[in-house]
Amino acid sequence: MAAITTVELILLTVVSAATPLLLAATGELVVEKSGILNLGVEGMMLVGAVSAFIAMLTTGSWALGIVAGAAAGVIMSMLFGVLTLFFLANQVASGLALTLFGIGISSLLGIPFIGLPIEKLPTLDIPVLGDIPILGPLLFEQDFLIYFSVFMVVAVNFFLFRSRAGLILRAVGESHDAAHSIGYSVIRIRFFAVMFGGAMAGLGGAFLSLSYTPMWVEQMTAGRGWIALALVVFATWKPGRVLIGAYLFGAVTIFQLHLQGFGVQIPGQVLSMLPYLVTILVLVLISRNASRVKLSAPACLGQIFHSNT
Amino acid sequence: MKKFLIAAIAAFTYAISSGLALADDPLKIGFVYIGPVGDHGWTYQHNDGRLAVEEAFGDKVQTSFVEFVPEGQDAERVIRQLAADGNKLIFTTSFGYMNPTIKVAQSFPDTYFEHCSGYKRADNVATYLARFYEARYVNGRVAGHVTKTNTIGYIASFPIPEVVRGINAFALGLRSVNPDATIKVVWVSTWFDPGKEGDAAKALIDQGADIITQHTDSPAPLQVAEERGVWAIGQASDMAAFGPRAHLTSAINNWGPYYVERTRAVMDGTWKSGDVWGGYSADMIKSSEFNAESMSAEVIADAEATIAAIRSGELHPFAGPIQDQSGNEIIGAGATLSDGDLLGMNYYVMGVEGSLPQ
């Protein structure tokens, strides 16, 4: 392994700070593109985190840990999907309930696992390329979930804007009645989107408990699910911008800590506020119809679909 | 006659039931926590104190707790509910519960309240806190012996006197054995966010710190220190498991003895309001086992001697001379800062880098 310099270490920290946000936000983006607003990201991340941790600790397998995290997120999201898609429950209320439920159930499941440390998720070093100075370790000596998070941005972007299935998903999000009238199963498509969102949130949680801070403590997400939600709006529903937003946010947080170490004081509260501030700005902008279209907000976001067949 | 009979029966049953209640009903004790019991830090230790009460009194007590109670309106509702449920002794364990505790206490004059870290008291509200700074002074001495880069990274939560006092005590301990060492402070504006605390640890290590200590509640900084090959000093509970090599010691908040004592006072009817601020000598704090793998026997012996000196009252961490950052004398040799001075501390002493956020 090449000698790691301070700059590289700082950049590595930025990458790992951004990854849980990126994973969860990419999933939520697809959910919202299908017209569903799931505010339960924080809850799904927590359940993903605790499940991944338990699976890793009991089986000793990283792969099983990661799969368990994703699966737990999917199960959580299915609860939400059933409530909102089949019983037509209010999405905002159901999403908030999912977060509260996730906080509770993850604490309960995690009780026997508090205070047990595990090894950090190992990095997958790509030979030769990893020896490139500065960029090498940054790009080619990361763990699986970091590679995967970036890959998923590309994949989701391709899926949404270059594939037929993605076109249908977006159509459902823009006008569920029109999509329904030409024969697409709105409910089924949305249910799959919600499950995908759950899997990604679960992976975001798994990254926290397996790699970022390899341990389980209650509420370890500390609000990252909400930041992920804000990032989707911040990115105006574009995967590439989610990537930029997540890394920007990671960078700002880390640099602020470094500046303090060098004796420069910036109120941390201001920085914690930033993503939400931008979110409010975007929300204000999209309240005008013309800019809503320009910013690619799904027209049916949060609306209940009443199938009248 | 009939009326009299009913009244007699009523009085009789009341006497019996209340008599029985006195004989059999356990003393109900409620606890209000700011964080999750699983935080492995502040709340975890308070809950440990609750378990100590259960252990000491068995089925003579019945304890319950409410965790994750935000400071403010919610707190008042929760405290009121606990009092209404018949808890006779209620511990509220965060600074922001001060006003709600006082308010509820006025409506429940027969219930005893214990508020941790506040300054408002009433006939049925006592306050208590541990002198955490004593342990931080000891930790500072340990760090002064162990550090090679003479830079200590300190992860701090919010710039309140309690935290500033801890930083200063650490600095005084540090420089009493190593006058060249300094402390870099990073404020994370949270008591509990493992990710951010870990990131702060990384930032401090990248800037040359070879010992990380913290006034936040998660063990994440320990893990980072272990991974990066530096040392760390934990907070609130024994965090050794998260960095077996890196962990030098942790200052442990030890509420058990106090909670047991106050419970006994309620049972005996001797409970009185008051203010307890206890340190090593009151067993309200203790140091975890020192890591013999990472510290030399001399350093451990020095730390233990320091604890003994603080315990006996021979040494006070804030004994003069003390200078602030710019070299102005705060207090001269032979004098000691008063508790009042300590409780309002709002400046850094010599050896702490950067400026204190206001």
Side-chain angles (χ1 to χ4, degrees), chain B residues 136-200:
Chain B
R136 291 195 188 271
Y137 181 87
V138 175
N139 294 346
R141 276 184 83 101
V142 167
H145 286 300
V146 173
T147 182
K148 300 255 185 329
T149 63
N150 283 346
T151 306
I152 311 298
Y154 202 117
I155 303 165
S157 50
F158 296 99
I160 55 172
E162 167 69 31
V163 178
V164 176
R165 190 164 61 237
I167 296 171
N168 286 343
F170 194 100
L172 292 170
L174 176 73
R175 288 166 71 100
S176 70
V177 296
N178 185 347
D180 297 329
T182 55
I183 299 179
K184 274 182 195 285
V185 184
V186 163
W187 298 91
V188 290
S189 304
T190 176
W191 288 110
F192 181 75
D193 179 342
K196 202 166 178 188
E197 294 168 43
D199 288 342

Side-chain angles (χ1 to χ4, degrees), chain A:
Chain A
M1 198 172 80
I4 296 186
T5 66
T6 308
V7 179
E8 284 166 344
L9 280 171
I10 295 173
L11 291 175
L12 279 170
T13 316
V14 172
V15 170
S16 51
T19 298
L21 303 174
L22 183 57
L23 284 165
T26 308
E28 179 68 10
L29 182 136
V30 172
V31 179
E32 292 192 14
K33 268 292 178 192
S34 81
I36 294 284
L37 180 65
N38 184 355
L39 295 181
V41 180
E42 180 89 356
M44 298 188 294
M45 283 179 87
L46 276 169
V47 175
V50 76
S51 308
F53 187 82
I54 293 172
M56 164 58 208
L57 200 68
T58 45
T59 66
S61 152
W62 295 110
L64 276 178
I66 291 170
V67 170
V74 171
I75 294 169
M76 287 287 285
S77 69
M78 283 165 77
L79 275 175
F80 173 85
V82 169
L83 281 176
T84 54
L85 294 170
F86 295 111
F87 296 113
L88 306 185
N90 179 296
Q91 293 175 16
V92 171
S94 308
L96 291 174
L98 191 70
T99 287
L100 296 176
F101 174 66
I103 291 171
I105 190 94
S106 62
S107 304
L108 183 69
L109 291 173
I111 288 170
F113 299 93
I114 291 166
L116 301 174
I118 53 169
E119 290 287 308
K120 195 178 165 165
L121 188 62
T123 56
L124 300 173
D125 300 352
I126 297 170
V128 187
L129 288 177
D131 296 335
I132 303 170
I134 302 186
L135 285 182
L138 202 57
L139 297 178
F140 305 110
E141 286 180 2
Q142 301 284 15
D143 62 48
F144 166 76
L145 283 171
I146 293 180
Y147 295 127
F148 183 75
S149 68
V150 178
F151 166 76
M152 282 314 281
V153 172
V154 179
V156 163
N157 199 52
F158 179 85
F159 166 80
L160 283 177
F161 301 107
R162 294 278 179 277
S163 80
R164 188 179 152 75
L167 183 67
I168 296 168
L169 182 127
R170 281 189 294 137
V172 167
E174 292 301 332
S175 169
H176 44 218
D177 292 323
H180 177 66
S181 67
I182 53 171
Y184 292 118
S185 170
V186 172
I187 303 287
R188 202 180 67 202
I189 290 164
R190 285 187 169 166
F191 199 75
F192 280 125
V194 165
M195 283 168 61
F196 176 76
M200 293 296 282
L203 286 175
F207 180 78
L208 285 178
S209 66
L210 297 181
S211 168
Y212 195 35
T213 48
M215 64 170 113
W216 167 253
V217 276
E218 288 180 29
Q219 291 252 358
M220 67 184 302
T221 50
R224 285 185 179 72
W226 299 108
I227 295 174
L229 273 165
L231 275 177
V232 176
V233 183
F234 169 88
T236 64
W237 295 270
K238 298 243 169 58
R241 290 188 194 164
V242 167
L243 180 85
I244 294 168
Y247 277 70
L248 205 60
F249 186 72
V252 167
T253 329
I254 302 303
F255 288 144
Q256 179 249 346
L257 297 173
H258 273 276
L259 285 178
Q260 282 196 40
F262 286 124
V264 184
Q265 288 292 348
I266 305 172
Q269 292 86 344
V270 173
L271 293 161
S272 324
M273 189 176 73
L274 269 181
Y276 302 105
L277 208 62
V278 177
T279 305
I280 293 169
L281 193 72
V282 174
L283 288 173
V284 169
L285 285 177
I286 62 170
S287 64
R288 286 174 53 227
N289 259 340
S291 44
R292 187 180 177 104
V293 175
K294 212 160 82 192
L295 293 177
S296 69
C300 280
L301 185 60
Q303 291 175 16
I304 290 176
F305 172 64
H306 298 275
S307 160
N308 43 11
T309 47

